[in-house]
Amino acid sequence: MIILTQIPAEIMEILPFLIPLVIAQLALLAYTLWHIFTHPNYRRWNRMTWVIIVLIGMQFWGPILYFLFGKEEA
Amino acid sequence: MALLEIRHVHKKFGSNQVLTDVNLQVEPHTIYGLIGENGAGKTTTMKMILGLLPIEEGEIFIDGKKVTYGANQTNKMIGYLPDVPEFYGYMSAKEYLQLCAKITGMKSSLVQARIRELLDLVGLAENNKRIHGYSRGMKQRLGIAQALLNQPKLLICDEPTSALDPKGRKEILDILLAIKKETTIIFSTHILSDVERICDDIGLLHQGSIHFQGNMQTLKREHQMEGFEIEFASQSECQTFSALFGAGEQLSLTRLRYTNPQQGDLRQTLDICASHNLIPIKIEQLEATLESVFLEVINDETTPRV
Amino acid sequence: MMKQLLAFSQKEILELIRSGRLLLFVILFIVFGIMNPALAKLTPWLLEQLATTLAESGIVVVDMPVDALTSWQQFYKNFPMALIIYTILSAGVLTNEYQHGTLINMVTKGLPRWKIILAKTVVLWGTWTLLYSIMFAITYAYNAYFWDNSIAADLWIAGVLVYLFGIFILTLVIWSSTLFKTSTAVMASVGALVIGMYGISVVPTWGTYLPTQLLTAQNLLTEVTPLHDYQFAIILTGILIPILLLGSIVIFNQKRI
C-alpha cells in the first residue's frame, strides 16, 4: 500500500488502461516473435531484420508490418 | 461405348490456333496416354474436358453426357490431378480429403473408410503433418488420393510425373497401374518411357492436332523396324564377321546393325559365329520404340507436303 | 446444398485461425478499443504540456472538460485506421487462391462458384462483426466506468452506421477480387474508389448521398447533423451491397481461375 500511495495520482488514473494495453501488446509481440522463430522462410528479408522491425514497432506497427509483408503464405 | 469422346474440337486463344479438329475416344478401364511436346495442346485439351475452358467449336462427351463450360454436371464423374497440384498448406492430408468429401457430397458414413483406404493406397496414412511441409512427390500422391475420392469414372492426370525424381515417378506409375481396374485414366506426358510402361492406348498430339491414335501394341507393330544388331567383345572379331557376312551399319567399333535382312539371315549369322569361333556379346532383334515412332510422325508432318 | 457452404466456410475460418490472422486481429482491435478512452484520459495532461509552451507565445489554453464524448471522438478518429488494417490484411481473400490455383480443385470437385463467393463474404463480414464489437464494447465499457455514455446522443445508431460502412468496404473487396488477379490491385482499386467518393463529396449536398457520409456518423453524437441527413447514404449503401455481391457472382462465374 505504501508503494501505491507513492505513485502519482495521474499515473494511478491511467493504470486501468495501461495494464491491459501492455498485456495485449506484449501478447502480440510474443506471438509475432514466436511466429518468426518457428518459420524459417519469409516473403522478404531475413529473420534478424524482422525481429528488429517487430521490436522497434512493438506497440503494434511492427507485428502488422510483419504479417503484411514478412509472413510466408500458408 | 467410349467413356470419353472428343469430337471435332477446335480452340483458339486470340489469333493463336491451339487445337485443330481434335477427335479422340477413350475406352473404359484403359490407360490412355496423351503424348505431345510442351505447347502441343495437352493441358488445353484437359481443361476443356473439365469445363475449365469454353468449348467454342466441337463437342466433348463423358459417359454420354455433354461437357459445358462453367457448369459441373460432368465434373462429378471426373477426378482431376493438375500438373502441380496445390492444396491448402495449413491442413493435413486427412483434413483436406475431408473437405473434398464434403464438397463432393459424399455420404458421411462412407467418408472415414474411404479416406483411410486412399491414404493407404498413396502411402500417406501415417502422416499427420501439414501439407506445406510436403515434397513434390507427396503432393502428387495426395493429388491422386483427392482425385479418386468419389470413385470417378474418369481420372485426368496432367503431366503427373514430369516434376518428379525417378523414385517419385515410379511410385506414381505404380499407383496408376493399381487403380486401372477401378477407373479409366487419361494422362498427358512428354516422357515416353512412362507411356510405354503403363498405357494401353495412346494419342499423339502435335501442333494442336491428333496425329496418331490407337493401341500401343498395334502402333509398335505397324512401325516395326526389321533387322538386328550384333556386338562383339573386340574390334578384330567384329571385322572378321563383317568380312564374312557382309558390311552393315557400323554403330561403333564393335557394333554392327543390319536392316532389311533376308529370310534366314539370323540363322546364317549364328552359323558364321559357330564355325569361326566368334562369340558375340549381344544379338538383338530391332523393335520399334515409341521414341522412333514419335519422331517419325513429327518429322513427316514438319516436312512440307507438296 | 447447405453442406458445401458450411464446409467451405469452415475452411475459411480454419485458415484465419491457423494463419494467425484471427489472433492478430483480435489483439489489434483490443488495443484500439483501449486506446480510445486512454487517449481521452490523457488529453488534459497533453494540453497541459502544450499550454506551457503555448503560453510563451501568448496563446492561452482553456481547460477542456474530458467526458465520454472525448473518448467517442477518439473512437471515430481511430476507426478508419482499424478498418484499413483489416481491409489490407484481408485483401488476398480470393486473389491468394487464384495465385496458388487452390480453387480449381474445389470447383472441379463440384463446388458451385457462387458458394465460394457467399462463404468468403459471410466469413469476412462475420470476422468484421466480431472485431468491431470487441473494439466498440471495450471503449463503451471504459466510458461507462469513467464517465457517462448517456451524454452521447444516438450512440448506437452512429456505431451501426460506421459498422455498415465497414461491411460496404469489405463487399467492395470481394467485388474487386473477382475483377483483378492480385491483392495489390484489389487494395488499389478499393482505395481509389473511396478517394473518388471523397472527391465527389467536394460538391456540396452530393457527399451526403454517398457511403462515405456514414464515416461522419460521430456528428450524430453531438447532434451537429440530424439523423435524416444520413438516410440517403444509408439507403444507397444498403442497395449497393447486394448489387455488388450479385455482380461479384456474375463476374466470378465467367472468371478463369
Side-chain angles (χ1 to χ4, degrees):
Chain A
M1 279 295 97
I2 296 165
I3 302 163
L4 278 181
T5 49
Q6 280 170 347
I7 297 172
E10 285 133 6
I11 295 191
M12 279 299 292
E13 278 254 277
I14 61 165
L15 270 187
F17 303 106
L18 217 52
I19 292 168
L21 203 57
V22 167
I23 291 172
Q25 285 169 348
L26 282 179
L28 186 59
L29 181 70
Y31 173 69
T32 313
L33 288 175
W34 173 80
H35 199 282
I36 292 175
F37 282 103
T38 50
H39 291 73
N41 301 311
Y42 313 104
R43 234 182 293 175
R44 66 195 72 181
W45 307 328
N46 56 14
R47 180 170 288 176
M48 213 43 223
T49 317
W50 281 117
V51 171
I52 292 169
I53 291 174
V54 168
L55 286 176
I56 289 174
M58 63 191 282
Q59 298 97 329
F60 62 86
W61 284 112
I64 289 177
L65 286 175
Y66 171 71
F67 280 97
L68 257 182
F69 302 114
K71 189 181 86 74
E72 217 191 10
E73 273 154 39
Chain B
M1 192 184 68
L3 188 78
L4 168 69
E5 195 170 357
I6 299 183
R7 285 186 208 155
H8 306 293
V9 165
H10 297 253
K11 180 76 193 174
K12 263 186 186 172
F13 287 129
S15 61
N16 185 14
Q17 188 82 35
V18 185
L19 295 178
T20 325
D21 198 28
V22 169
N23 291 284
L24 64 82
Q25 287 94 36
V26 179
E27 298 303 321
H29 297 284
T30 56
I31 301 183
Y32 188 98
L34 190 61
I35 310 163
E37 303 150 285
N38 291 332
K42 290 170 295 183
T43 304
T44 309
T45 310
M46 299 199 143
K47 289 207 162 155
M48 288 172 94
I49 300 172
L50 283 159
L52 289 172
L53 284 174
I55 305 163
E56 284 101 5
E57 222 185 314
E59 292 168 315
I60 298 176
F61 293 92
I62 296 164
D63 204 21
K65 291 189 188 64
K66 197 176 166 191
V67 177
T68 45
Y69 173 64
N72 36 31
Q73 281 309 304
T74 44
N75 281 0
K76 291 197 170 128
M77 296 184 280
I78 309 180
Y80 174 51
L81 173 64
D83 48 352
V84 185
E86 285 294 345
F87 311 104
Y88 299 113
Y90 47 84
M91 288 182 177
S92 69
K94 202 172 166 187
E95 285 170 332
Y96 189 78
L97 292 180
Q98 279 164 346
L99 171 66
C100 293
K102 284 180 198 155
I103 298 290
T104 41
M106 268 176 84
K107 268 195 197 138
S108 44
S109 54
L110 304 173
V111 172
Q112 289 307 326
R114 180 72 181 151
I115 288 178
R116 175 169 285 269
E117 186 187 337
L118 285 170
L119 288 176
D120 274 338
L121 174 76
V122 300
L124 290 170
E126 305 305 316
N127 201 305
N128 287 320
K129 270 190 277 179
R130 305 248 169 106
I131 299 169
H132 67 232
Y134 276 23
S135 69
R136 270 263 171 85
M138 286 162 89
K139 279 188 187 170
Q140 209 71 255
R141 282 185 276 148
L142 175 58
I144 294 181
Q146 62 80 21
L148 289 175
L149 193 63
N150 56 337
Q151 289 162 316
K153 289 186 175 164
L154 180 66
L155 175 66
I156 300 181
C157 306
D158 191 0
E159 303 258 359
T161 54
S162 303
L164 302 180
D165 56 20
K167 183 172 169 282
R169 260 171 59 195
K170 188 183 177 313
E171 285 168 351
I172 299 293
L173 294 178
D174 288 347
I175 294 170
L176 291 183
L177 263 181
I179 55 179
K180 194 175 125 178
K181 47 187 182 304
E182 289 174 36
T183 182
T184 305
I185 302 165
I186 172 167
F187 87 100
S188 72
T189 187
H190 59 259
I191 304 171
L192 298 169
S193 60
D194 288 357
V195 177
E196 291 198 281
R197 272 195 55 190
I198 66 168
C199 288
D200 302 296
D201 291 328
I202 60 162
L204 270 182
L205 194 60
H206 181 58
Q207 292 178 342
S209 52
I210 298 274
H211 284 237
F212 174 85
Q213 183 177 202
N215 184 274
M216 201 155 73
Q217 300 313 320
T218 322
L219 170 78
K220 278 189 172 181
R221 225 173 295 131
E222 279 174 8
H223 294 257
Q224 184 78 51
M225 283 172 81
E226 300 203 19
F228 63 95
E229 277 178 34
I230 186 161
E231 187 173 6
F232 294 95
S234 72
Q235 202 184 334
S236 60
E237 277 180 305
C238 185
Q239 279 165 347
T240 320
F241 180 80
S242 172
L244 289 161
F245 185 77
E249 191 187 340
Q250 194 90 38
L251 293 174
S252 74
L253 288 174
T254 56
R255 244 172 108 190
L256 292 162
R257 175 189 280 171
Y258 294 91
T259 45
N260 305 315
Q262 307 298 313
Q263 194 86 39
D265 261 4
L266 208 58
R267 178 185 207 104
Q268 200 196 336
T269 306
L270 293 172
D271 285 347
I272 292 173
C273 289
S275 57
H276 293 82
N277 204 21
L278 295 170
I279 298 158
I281 334 177
K282 196 165 93 181
I283 301 180
E284 189 180 33
Q285 280 206 286
L286 292 180
E287 193 183 60
T289 60
L290 199 51
E291 193 183 345
S292 61
V293 177
F294 184 55
L295 291 173
E296 200 179 300
V297 169
I298 288 175
N299 289 333
D300 274 3
E301 297 302 325
T302 36
T303 42
R305 277 174 259 188
V306 185
Chain C
M1 251 193 331
M2 198 62 196
K3 209 172 148 191
Q4 288 179 321
L5 210 55
L6 260 168
F8 200 73
S9 308
Q10 274 169 7
K11 170 249 149 199
E12 287 291 308
I13 294 167
L14 189 73
E15 184 173 337
L16 268 176
I17 295 169
R18 293 212 177 145
S19 69
R21 286 217 305 279
L22 188 63
L23 186 62
L24 172 78
F25 287 147
V26 169
I27 296 177
L28 274 178
F29 277 71
I30 290 175
V31 170
F32 273 116
I34 302 173
M35 258 171 41
N36 304 321
L39 284 170
K41 197 79 187 163
L42 286 174
T43 307
W45 179 76
L46 284 171
L47 281 177
E48 214 173 281
Q49 301 293 309
L50 261 177
T52 41
T53 42
L54 286 179
E56 286 160 18
S57 48
I59 300 168
V60 181
V61 177
V62 192
D63 257 3
M64 208 186 77
V66 171
D67 53 24
L69 274 179
T70 326
S71 172
W72 282 118
Q73 265 155 18
Q74 283 297 332
F75 179 90
Y76 288 100
K77 219 175 97 191
N78 289 326
F79 172 83
M81 187 54 67
L83 178 59
I84 287 170
I85 290 173
Y86 179 65
T87 307
I88 290 177
L89 280 166
S90 305
V93 63
L94 269 159
T95 52
N96 278 349
E97 300 228 32
Y98 305 152
Q99 264 151 21
H100 291 103
T102 36
L103 283 180
I104 294 178
N105 231 335
M106 297 290 110
V107 172
T108 53
K109 281 257 176 303
L111 181 66
R113 293 178 176 217
W114 65 268
K115 287 187 183 170
I116 295 177
I117 296 290
L118 196 62
K120 288 207 178 256
T121 309
V122 166
V123 174
L124 201 60
W125 284 358
T127 316
W128 168 246
T129 309
L130 170 77
L131 296 172
Y132 182 79
S133 310
I134 289 175
M135 177 167 154
F136 192 93
I138 290 177
T139 302
Y140 187 93
Y142 271 112
N143 289 359
Y145 177 73
F146 285 107
W147 307 289
D148 178 11
N149 275 320
S150 67
I151 64 161
D154 294 327
L155 178 67
W156 295 97
I157 294 174
V160 169
L161 291 192
V162 288
Y163 163 78
L164 183 66
F165 184 77
I167 293 284
F168 170 71
I169 291 294
L170 296 171
T171 318
L172 265 184
V173 167
I174 294 280
W175 174 76
S176 171
S177 298
T178 61
L179 289 174
F180 300 104
K181 281 192 179 122
T182 65
S183 59
T184 321
V186 171
M187 283 183 244
S189 60
V190 173
L193 280 170
V194 174
I195 291 169
M197 279 190 270
Y198 271 113
I200 297 172
S201 329
V202 173
V203 182
T205 70
W206 283 21
T208 55
Y209 298 114
L210 296 173
T212 39
Q213 166 81 352
L214 300 178
L215 278 180
T216 66
Q218 58 169 312
N219 292 338
L220 283 172
L221 303 184
T222 46
E223 290 174 305
V224 171
T225 322
L227 186 57
H228 73 252
D229 273 14
Y230 290 89
Q231 65 193 20
F232 280 110
I234 296 169
I235 291 168
L236 183 65
T237 311
I239 293 171
L240 278 176
I241 289 172
I243 287 179
L244 283 169
L245 214 51
L246 275 175
S248 306
I249 290 169
V250 171
I251 302 167
F252 192 61
N253 275 337
Q254 293 302 315
K255 193 172 176 77
R256 290 251 294 272
I257 51 170

